């Protein structure tokens, strides 16, 4: 069996993040983007890109090996 790389984490070892931690992280990212001068449409674009990355990963995970 090959060793896990930083991009490959066994599903049973993936970190479970609490709802509170998710809200805090999202709020922090949002404030940072605002502080950097991003407009609302830019923040929506970043959010959309994040969703796209997660969707791609989920689709790869669903592919048979």
């Amino acid at each position: 069996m090959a060793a896990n790389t930083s991009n490959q984490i066994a599903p049973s070892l993936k970190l479970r993040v609490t709802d509170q931690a998710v809200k805090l992280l999202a709020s922090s990212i949002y404030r940072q983007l605002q502080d950097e001068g991003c407009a609302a449409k830019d923040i929506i674009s970043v959010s959309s890109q994040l969703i796209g990355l997660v969707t791609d990963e989920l689709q790869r995970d669903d592919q048979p090996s």
Side-chain angles (χ1 to χ4, degrees), residues 5-63:
T5 65
S6 61
N7 291 334
Q8 297 175 327
I9 299 174
S12 61
L13 298 177
K14 286 190 176 180
L15 178 65
R16 300 286 184 231
V17 181
T18 65
D19 288 342
Q20 183 178 3
V22 169
K23 289 177 184 178
L24 181 62
L25 179 59
S27 179
S28 177
I29 292 169
Y30 181 76
R31 280 193 313 272
Q32 183 68 34
L33 291 171
Q34 281 187 317
D35 290 348
E36 294 294 327
C38 291
K41 67 178 182 174
D42 299 323
I43 296 171
I44 291 170
S45 181
V46 169
S47 301
S48 178
Q49 289 297 315
L50 286 168
I51 291 168
L53 291 170
V54 172
T55 300
D56 290 346
E57 182 177 340
L58 291 173
Q59 289 173 343
R60 280 192 307 273
D61 290 348
D62 285 345
Q63 299 289 325

